Structure formats: C-alpha cells, structure tokens
C-alpha cells in the first residue's frame, strides 16, 4: 500500500514553485482530506511558521498524517547550502535542517534535503562538495534517528544540482555512508530528465527509496503530461515500496483542480 499526500507551501518566496496548496495550512488540510488524501507534505519558511498544537488538532480532525517536511526554504530564503565552503554558513545550514527535523519528527515526518544540497563549482571540486554533503548527511541522518524518522535525500535534475542526479548514483552515495538512516527521494519530474527509464531508475533504488514525488513530466499534476504511470507503479510495487506518493506539482491550472487531478491519477495508477 502506497499512501497519498499533497504538498502545501507556506513560503511566499517560493511562489510559482511546484506546490499544490499555498499559504493556508488549515484550508489545505480540509481540502486534502475532502479529496481523500492520506497526508500533507509541508514546505515551511521556518519551524515557527507551524504551530505544533494547532497542526496536531488539524491532523486529528481530518484523519491526516504529515508525509514529510521540506527544508528548501533554507536555500530559497537564506541562500544556505550544506556544501557551502564557508564553515560558518555550513553550520547555519545544518542548524536550519536540524530545526526542520525537529518540526517534523514529533509527527513522524522525515525532512527532505533537496535544494539545500547546493551545487559545486568555482574553487570547490565535486569531490570536496560530495565529502561535505556526506558529512552533513551522516550527522543529520543520525540526528533524525532520535525521532525515529529517516532523513530523505533527493537527487535533482542537472539544472538544479550537479552533485547527484540519478537513483543509481544516489544509492552508491548512500552506500558510502556509515549511517543507514538516510533514504532517497524519487521525484518523478527529476527522474524524467535524468533516468534512461523511470521504472528502471526506481528498480535501481530498491531498498533505498523512502519517499516519492508524484508528478508529471512537465511538473504539472499527474495525468497532465506524458508520463506513463503503469510501468512506474509496477516498479514501485516490484521493489516493495510502501512510502508516500506525494504530489509535488505546480498548482496547475489552480490548486483545487491540481489536487483533484492528482488524486484521480493516484486512484487510477497507484492505490
Ligand atoms: C524539491 O522536492 C524538489 O524537487 C526541488 O526541485 C526543489 O528545489
Ligand atoms: Mn521533489
């Protein structure tokens, strides 16, 4: 069983980004539940933007879970990256991720490292950048373990990172770590750009995939692009994936229609 989730962004600076619901957690939870989603994925500017007590009440009222929490605001708002050559900036980036892990942890929600992984270049070699990323994931993976949640690391397409772009490279990288508490995020949009075959990419991630961003080839909601979902769903079942299929997609043509479109595709292909 692969449960469904839908994203909600509370980050005004990310407007126009790939999130279905915007600005209002309460309204998003109500709509997500009405459509039959199992969970919401929260993209917040900082932990203080989410009142834990209110969120708890909201989740109980609507029988929802929190699928994951994003850390991208650290990059989008503050320009932070886990591979920043400046140790002070790196420490601030790590601290920001820790604060998001502490926000999601009590709800059983793992934090996602996406854009916070940064890009190497200039005076920094790829090797040095990967060493810094490895060290950050070791530390943050173990930090997440105290909440009994993994840390989710997301390979991105080549236009967003030059570190790790495929599931196979992600698996190789995770195998080089001591911690076993870091899992991969299979974002179908990024995979559509980077993998030879999305289904084979999922097979490459067997045993390592902890989260899926369920979206179409053009980052519109599932069903509005040219993604073929049958082989993708078959591969997810084949590898025994039981994490979320979480809609990280543009609010196209608008948030309500995007959420409805997503849940229809989820019901058709994934459920
Ligand atoms: C985040 O989940 C993602 O997919 C990235 O493209 C955002 O920077
Ligand atoms: Mn993603």
């Amino acid at each position: 069983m692969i449960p469904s989730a839908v994203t909600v962004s509370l980050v005004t600076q990310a407007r126009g980004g790939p999130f279905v619901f915007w600005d209002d957690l309460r309204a998003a939870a109500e709509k997500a539940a009405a459509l039959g989603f199992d969970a919401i994925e929260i993209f917040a500017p900082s932990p203080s933007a989410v009142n834990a007590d209110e969120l708890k009440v909201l989740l109980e009222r609507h029988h929802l879970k929190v699928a994951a929490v994003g850390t991208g605001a650290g990059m989008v708002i503050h320009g932070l990256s886990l591979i920043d050559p400046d140790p002070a900036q790196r420490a601030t980036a790590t601290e920001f991720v820790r604060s998001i892990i502490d926000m999601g942890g009590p709800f059983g929600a793992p934090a996602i490292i996406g854009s916070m992984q940064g890009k190497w270049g200039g005076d920094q070699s790829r090797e040095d950048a990967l060493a810094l990323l490895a060290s950050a994931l070791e530390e943050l993976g173990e930090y997440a373990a105290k909440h009994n949640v993994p840390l989710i690391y997301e390979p991105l397409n080549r236009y967003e990172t030059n570190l790790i772009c495929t599931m196979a490279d992600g698996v190789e990288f995770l195998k080089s770590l001591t911690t076993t508490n870091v899992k991969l995020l299979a974002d179908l949009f990024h995979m559509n750009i980077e993998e030879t075959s999305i289904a084979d990419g999922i097979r490459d991630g067997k045993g390592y995939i902890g989260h899926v961003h369920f979206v179409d080839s053009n980052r519109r909601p599932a069903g509005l692009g040219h993604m073929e979902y049958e082989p993708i769903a078959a591969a997810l079942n084949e590898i025994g994936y039981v994490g979320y299929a979480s809609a990280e997609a543009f609010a196209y043509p608008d948030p309500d229609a995007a959420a409805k479109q997503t849940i229809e595709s989820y019901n058709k292909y994934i459920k």
Side-chain angles (χ1 to χ4, degrees):
M1 175 67 192
I2 299 173
S4 61
V6 60
T7 47
V8 49
S9 169
L10 307 176
V11 180
T12 44
Q13 292 91 334
R15 201 162 300 288
F19 305 100
V20 173
F21 290 123
W22 288 84
D23 307 329
D24 186 342
L25 202 50
R26 184 178 294 263
E30 200 171 301
K31 288 176 176 186
L35 285 167
F37 282 97
D38 299 302
I40 51 173
E41 178 176 321
I42 304 171
F43 187 63
S46 71
S48 61
V50 176
N51 180 305
D53 293 335
E54 281 173 24
L55 179 58
K56 190 162 180 276
V57 170
L58 208 53
L59 297 173
E60 277 170 8
R61 182 186 308 147
H62 295 297
H63 307 289
L64 288 169
K65 300 246 187 300
V66 181
V69 287
T71 64
M75 169 60 83
V76 174
I77 301 177
H78 308 290
L80 296 171
S81 144
L82 296 172
I83 62 157
D84 197 302
D86 177 352
Q89 284 293 103
R90 261 196 334 270
T92 309
T94 310
E95 188 48 44
F96 182 83
V97 174
R98 264 198 230 108
S99 75
I100 298 285
I101 291 172
D102 286 336
M103 173 186 125
F107 295 95
I112 297 168
I113 306 296
S115 56
M116 284 287 285
Q117 68 192 273
K119 296 175 187 176
W120 64 274
D123 290 340
Q124 188 182 47
S125 69
R126 180 165 193 269
E127 199 185 16
D128 287 350
L130 283 173
L132 290 176
L133 181 64
S135 146
L137 295 192
E138 293 278 16
E139 180 188 337
L140 294 166
E142 285 311 298
Y143 189 77
K146 72 174 192 172
H147 291 291
N148 266 323
V149 294
L151 179 71
I152 305 289
Y153 169 69
E154 180 172 27
L156 303 173
N157 75 70
R158 67 191 68 185
Y159 307 106
E160 296 187 41
T161 191
N162 48 15
L163 288 167
I164 290 168
C165 302
T166 63
M167 287 301 117
D169 286 351
V171 167
E172 196 186 312
F173 184 63
L174 294 196
K175 279 184 177 165
S176 76
L177 303 182
T178 310
T179 178
T180 54
N181 201 41
V182 182
K183 302 289 174 208
L184 294 178
L185 200 169
D187 181 320
L188 302 183
F189 166 74
H190 298 306
M191 292 180 77
N192 178 61
I193 295 170
E194 297 298 340
E195 304 285 349
T196 308
S197 144
I198 299 176
D200 285 348
I202 287 167
R203 289 186 193 96
D204 290 341
K206 183 176 180 179
Y208 288 86
I209 298 178
H211 198 65
V212 167
H213 277 157
F214 180 57
V215 58
D216 219 311
S217 51
N218 48 11
R219 229 173 195 183
R220 287 180 179 175
L224 298 184
H226 58 73
M227 192 85 73
E228 286 181 28
Y229 289 101
E230 284 95 346
I232 292 170
L236 287 170
N237 289 326
E238 193 184 311
I239 67 164
Y241 177 72
V242 290
Y244 285 96
S246 185
E248 187 189 64
F250 293 131
Y252 179 87
D254 58 62
D256 292 1
K260 187 162 179 289
Q261 171 65 41
T262 291
I263 201 72
E264 282 171 8
S265 291
Y266 166 83
N267 288 335
K268 184 168 173 192
Y269 298 110
I270 308 288
K271 196 174 180 173

